């Protein structure tokens, strides 16, 4: 999962956390949206954007599927 965009409520973030846990998905946050997911959470893999960790960048490049999720991106 790649999270980003504006307009997230606390309830929406909690729903996303439950979805990610239930489906055992890794979660990254877009640059400037790192507060959407709890960093100590075991499913959190880092932020994607400026100065992305090279290992995470390679995982993104190698991914068969990326699920972007953002309230503001749909507008």
């Amino acid at each position: 999962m790649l999270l980003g965009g504006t307009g997230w409520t606390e309830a929406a973030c909690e729903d996303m956390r439950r979805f990610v846990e239930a489906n055992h998905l890794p979660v990254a946050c877009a640059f400037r949206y790192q507060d959407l997911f709890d960093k100590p959470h075991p499913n959190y893999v880092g932020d994607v954007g400026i100065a992305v960790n090279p290992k995470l960048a390679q995982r993104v490049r190698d991914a068969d599927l990326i699920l972007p999720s953002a309230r503001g991106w749909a507008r």
Side-chain angles (χ1 to χ4, degrees):
M1 295 289 311
L2 177 58
L3 305 182
T6 61
W8 286 80
T9 64
E10 191 173 321
C13 289
E14 181 64 20
D15 289 344
M16 183 57 70
R17 183 193 58 77
R18 284 194 299 270
F19 175 78
V20 164
E21 289 174 348
N23 293 284
H24 310 285
L25 299 172
V27 177
C29 292
F31 179 65
R32 294 192 177 153
Y33 297 102
Q34 295 97 325
D35 61 335
L36 294 177
F37 204 82
D38 192 23
K39 289 172 193 58
H41 194 282
N43 293 60
Y44 184 74
V45 296
D47 61 278
V48 176
I50 296 174
V52 63
N53 179 300
K55 290 181 181 180
L56 177 55
Q58 189 61 51
R59 286 180 70 184
V60 170
R61 283 192 291 275
D62 292 344
D64 293 323
L65 176 67
I66 295 176
L67 301 171
S69 182
R71 287 186 37 108
W73 291 347
R75 294 181 189 162

